[in-house]
């Protein structure tokens, strides 16, 4: 279990620089160049820079995963969410996995750093709210993308196998209820997994 978890954490840390510099490079392309035939040049350049940084830092952090500064972990978590969000084309359900991974990591980190058990609840709430706020922004971005799609009613009809296209008010209801559900689930998943990680840290 610990080996699998360490591999997942290492993958998340390793992917983060690739995402960061890939996004920065694409942003530079979008603001200064915009030539379509240059897009992949910028993207690959960013990924190469991220890979070089991985070469210097990845081994150091993976061998001491519970001593990584929290601000670096926060950046990694945000980038991981962006990556998952983009990979699944704006469908936010899979971002729940990020909260699960963060919860398991932080539960093990608190035990490793010998945090006073009386403070477990305080830190658990902080991490749970952080993942929840992140999910809120992910759901907001997903909603904006969905509402800007002029074919959204037809897509929902096909996805839910409905006889007729849903009205705009139904679309709003689905987005609001779905977003609220995911946000709430992210909070409770993170909190639950932190508790499980604390009790199973020796396994």
């Amino acid at each position: 279990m610990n080996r699998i978890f360490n591999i997942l954490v290492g993958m998340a840390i390793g992917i983060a620089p690739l995402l960061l510099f890939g996004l920065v490079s694409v942003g530079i392309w979008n603001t200064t160049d915009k030539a379509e035939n240059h897009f992949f040049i910028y993207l690959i350049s960013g990924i190469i820079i991220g890979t070089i940084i991985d070469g210097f830092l990845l081994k150091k952090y993976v061998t001491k995963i519970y001593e990584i500064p929290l601000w670096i972990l926060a950046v990694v978590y945000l980038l991981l969410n962006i990556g998952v969000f983009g990979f699944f084309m704006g469908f936010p359900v899979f971002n729940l996995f990020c909260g699960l991974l963060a919860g398991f990591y932080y539960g093990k980190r608190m035990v490793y750093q010998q945090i006073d058990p009386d403070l477990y609840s305080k830190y658990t709430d902080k991490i749970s709210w952080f993942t929840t706020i992140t999910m809120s922004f992910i759901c907001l971005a997903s909603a904006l993308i969905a509402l800007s799609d002029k074919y959204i009613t037809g897509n929902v009809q096909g996805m839910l196998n409905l006889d007729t296209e849903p009205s705009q008010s139904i679309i709003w209801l689905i987005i609001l209820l779905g977003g609220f559900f995911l946000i709430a689930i992210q909070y409770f998943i993170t909190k639950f997994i932190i508790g499980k990680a604390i009790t199973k840290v020796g396994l």
Side-chain angles (χ1 to χ4, degrees):
M1 181 66 177
N2 282 333
R3 182 177 177 81
I4 295 174
F5 175 71
N6 289 346
I7 291 172
L8 289 174
V9 172
M11 289 174 61
I13 295 171
I15 289 171
L18 307 185
L19 287 171
L20 175 60
F21 288 98
L23 289 171
V24 169
S25 295
V26 170
I28 293 173
W29 168 82
N30 189 52
T31 55
T32 62
D33 193 332
K34 296 187 178 181
E36 291 185 6
N37 59 327
H38 292 166
F39 173 81
F40 284 105
I41 296 175
Y42 281 86
L43 178 61
I44 293 172
S45 297
I47 291 174
I48 290 173
I49 294 172
T51 303
I52 293 171
I53 290 175
D54 270 344
F56 286 105
L57 300 180
L58 187 57
K59 184 177 181 180
K60 170 187 174 182
Y61 284 136
V62 169
T63 55
K64 297 181 179 180
I65 60 173
Y66 301 118
E67 300 173 21
I68 302 172
L70 288 179
W71 72 268
I72 292 179
L73 292 173
V75 171
V76 168
Y77 184 78
L78 294 174
L79 289 170
L80 184 63
N81 270 274
I82 292 171
V84 171
F85 183 74
F87 184 81
F88 290 102
M89 297 180 292
F91 192 56
V93 171
F94 296 96
N95 287 82
L96 291 172
F97 172 77
C98 299
L100 188 152
L101 184 62
F104 197 70
Y105 168 85
Y106 204 79
K108 290 166 70 68
R109 180 185 173 106
M110 284 196 290
V111 175
Y112 175 85
Q113 295 190 338
Q114 299 181 333
I115 300 294
D116 186 343
D118 291 338
L119 298 175
Y120 282 173
S121 179
K122 173 184 175 181
Y123 288 117
T124 296
D125 282 341
K126 285 185 176 181
I127 298 302
S128 299
W129 277 114
F130 176 71
T131 62
T132 302
I133 292 170
T134 303
M135 176 60 88
S136 299
F137 282 105
I138 291 293
C139 287
L140 177 61
S142 180
L144 292 175
I145 292 171
L147 292 173
S148 65
D149 182 2
K150 60 182 179 180
Y151 302 110
I152 181 63
T153 54
N155 291 337
V156 171
Q157 179 187 5
M159 183 173 62
L160 300 180
N161 197 26
L162 303 174
D163 294 330
T164 59
E165 288 191 3
S167 65
Q168 199 67 25
S169 58
I170 294 297
I171 297 297
W172 271 99
L173 183 63
I174 292 172
I175 290 173
L176 290 174
L177 289 179
F180 177 79
F181 177 77
L182 287 176
I183 291 167
I185 288 295
Q186 186 69 289
Y187 177 82
F188 289 110
I189 278 182
T190 307
K191 198 166 188 177
F192 175 77
I193 292 299
I194 289 176
K196 284 294 182 183
I198 290 171
T199 59
K200 295 179 179 294
V201 72
L203 298 181

